[in-house]
Amino acid sequence: MNILTLNCHAWLEDRQQEKIDSIVERIASEEYDIIALQEVNQHKEAPLIDGLIRENNFAYVLVERLKEQGVDYYMTWDFAHYGYDIYEEGVAILSRTPFVSTESFFVSQTTDPNDYKSRKIVKAVLDGLDAPTAIYSCHLGWWHDADEPVRHQLDELLRRVEDDDRALLLGDFNNDAFIRGEGYDYLIEHGLQDLFHLATEREGDATVQGKIAGWDENKQALRIDLMLTNAPIHVSRHAVVFDGENGPVVSDHAGVEATAFWR
């Protein structure tokens, strides 16, 4: 399996079209089997084209651009909350093979789309990746948030994964893997494994440098964009991408890619 996860910071980037070109170019080149995307925005007044998806949905734009290059992806998306008053912000999964099933669910205590702390996960089941696999695209809250504690969100996510023989949890967890005793350790202590530590070859670690939205006072390098699993897996390579060294910067987050197969 070739896998990519990226917090897109969609439609909020300078030179956005140029950065879309870079994302499309890499996806077309690598032909990832699975792509998990977060902060996938669409303007709330753009025309609807399919269910909840509007014509400027960032993931849909990528899929259409890839289709022009002869690279086809299936897509599922749902939105959790409104961002900056004008966007419907959500998470997406793209796959080279059809979905067996898809669903989305809230993990936050609040389900009010007007509250930016409302968090929804998208799940897709795929049957072409060595073995049936549940894919989760995750965008979670912060460990020290008194209003919307992330431990509740992590417990809800872990409860869902209990029913999966093989699951990949991909995305922006907003919990730094460099910090002990917080959300990252909580996930590992509850049975998940980090593909970063399982990888035979690693390139880079941090996915955020300095201050970004939600980390307004941050001055450190953060590893908050993660690939986790609940099952035995062989990971030949884990790499930070779109960081200015391994691909151009396209977001306020770098992405992560990995090559792996189920044991």
Side-chain angles (χ1 to χ4, degrees):
M1 297 177 288
N2 290 324
I3 313 163
L4 171 71
T5 186
L6 174 67
N7 180 318
C8 302
H9 202 224
W11 303 125
L12 299 170
E13 285 289 307
D14 295 333
R15 307 190 317 278
Q16 184 69 87
Q17 291 299 331
E18 176 185 326
K19 292 176 180 181
I20 288 173
D21 291 343
S22 297
I23 296 170
V24 169
E25 180 180 351
R26 188 172 194 103
I27 293 174
S29 173
E30 299 297 329
E31 295 190 353
Y32 300 103
D33 299 294
I34 306 160
I35 302 171
L37 302 173
Q38 304 82 46
E39 291 192 25
V40 176
N41 294 326
Q42 60 183 19
H43 197 286
K44 66 181 183 181
E45 295 180 356
L48 285 167
I49 57 170
D50 183 15
L52 294 171
I53 296 174
R54 301 184 185 276
E55 66 179 12
N56 68 347
N57 180 287
F58 193 84
Y60 175 76
V61 169
L62 296 180
V63 168
E64 290 300 296
R65 289 282 305 278
L66 287 160
K67 189 180 297 182
E68 293 172 3
Q69 300 192 28
V71 182
D72 293 327
Y73 277 91
Y74 298 89
M75 167 189 165
T76 184
W77 173 90
D78 200 354
F79 90 100
H81 58 253
Y82 292 104
Y84 301 93
D85 297 325
I86 61 171
Y87 292 114
E88 295 170 342
E89 180 183 309
V91 292
I93 297 171
L94 277 53
S95 169
R96 294 300 307 277
T97 58
F99 301 121
V100 175
S101 63
T102 63
E103 64 176 303
S104 58
F105 53 90
F106 285 100
V107 291
S108 53
Q109 295 179 92
T110 179
T111 59
D112 180 0
N114 294 302
D115 186 342
Y116 76 96
K117 294 181 180 181
S118 175
R119 302 289 163 162
K120 185 180 282 187
I121 306 294
V122 167
K123 175 185 178 182
V125 176
L126 300 174
D127 194 13
L129 304 171
D130 305 323
T133 302
I135 310 297
Y136 295 81
S137 185
C138 308
H139 189 196
L140 301 178
W142 302 269
W143 184 254
H144 293 290
D145 192 324
D147 300 323
E148 183 59 55
V150 78
R151 184 176 297 192
H152 172 84
Q153 299 177 22
L154 300 180
D155 286 342
E156 284 297 303
L157 181 57
L158 289 163
R159 183 176 64 81
R160 296 277 183 159
V161 176
E162 285 177 358
D163 296 328
D164 301 318
D165 292 331
R166 295 176 181 85
L168 288 170
L169 293 77
L170 314 172
D172 174 4
F173 286 77
N174 268 319
N175 282 262
D176 187 6
F178 296 143
I179 297 177
R180 302 280 64 83
E182 295 187 0
Y184 176 81
D185 281 356
Y186 190 81
L187 288 166
I188 302 304
E189 289 164 2
H190 284 77
L192 298 183
Q193 302 176 82
D194 188 341
L195 271 61
F196 175 86
H197 292 297
L198 298 175
T200 303
E201 176 187 345
R202 291 192 291 269
E203 299 176 25
D205 48 19
T207 58
V208 167
Q209 302 290 338
K211 181 174 67 175
I212 61 169
W215 294 84
D216 299 326
E217 304 301 322
N218 180 59
K219 298 180 181 178
Q220 308 298 320
L222 309 173
R223 188 165 78 87
I224 59 177
D225 300 272
L226 309 173
M227 294 183 174
L228 307 175
T229 187
N230 67 339
I233 194 170
H234 175 79
V235 185
S236 58
R237 179 173 175 270
H238 183 287
V240 175
V241 298
F242 296 127
D243 62 348
E245 296 182 10
N246 190 356
V249 172
V250 297
S251 170
D252 58 355
H253 290 240
V256 177
E257 66 181 15
T259 302
F261 61 85
W262 298 114
R263 291 189 183 276

